[in-house]
């Protein structure tokens, strides 16, 4: 499993994120504090605190590079 930190601070970003992640097979979870939801569930995502960074857990690493490329606009970098 690989985890990346992302930020979804608007309704448009959430919609775009779900549209992108839904294309990929496999399981993806989003976590905030102790809450974890299915990353493909728009309703689940809106139940999280979107003012904070979210942890995207990628359980199937076969398409890891493609997923990371497609989601680069949401990723939080440590620069």
């Amino acid at each position: 499993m690989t985890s990346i930190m992302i930020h979804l601070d608007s309704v448009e970003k959430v919609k775009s994120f779900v549209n992108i992640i839904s294309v990929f097979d496999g399981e993806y979870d989003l976590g905030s504090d102790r809450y974890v939801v299915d990353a493909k569930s728009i309703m689940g995502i809106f139940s999280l605190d979107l003012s904070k960074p979210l942890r995207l857990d990628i359980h199937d690493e076969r398409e890891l590079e493609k997923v990371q490329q497609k989601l680069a606009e949401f990723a939080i970098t440590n620069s």
Side-chain angles (χ1 to χ4, degrees):
M1 180 179 77
T2 299
S3 297
I4 58 173
M5 297 304 291
I6 64 169
H7 201 254
L8 301 173
D9 58 355
S10 70
V11 172
E12 291 78 22
K13 284 186 178 181
V14 172
K15 288 179 185 177
S16 178
F17 172 84
V18 171
N19 286 337
I20 293 168
I21 200 73
S22 294
V23 171
F24 295 99
D25 292 330
E27 292 185 33
Y28 302 89
D29 293 324
L30 271 180
S32 174
D33 296 324
R34 61 187 176 108
Y35 300 101
V36 177
V37 299
D38 182 348
K40 296 179 182 182
S41 168
I42 197 164
M43 294 299 288
I45 294 171
F46 281 122
S47 72
L48 299 174
D49 182 355
L50 299 180
S51 67
K52 297 179 180 180
L54 302 171
R55 183 189 69 253
L56 174 63
D57 294 329
I58 302 168
H59 298 282
D60 184 353
E61 297 186 5
R62 286 179 285 176
E63 295 186 289
L64 179 60
E65 285 186 37
K66 288 181 186 176
V67 171
Q68 287 176 319
Q69 285 177 334
K70 293 287 187 180
L71 298 177
E73 67 183 284
F74 308 108
I76 298 173
T77 57
N78 296 333
S79 18

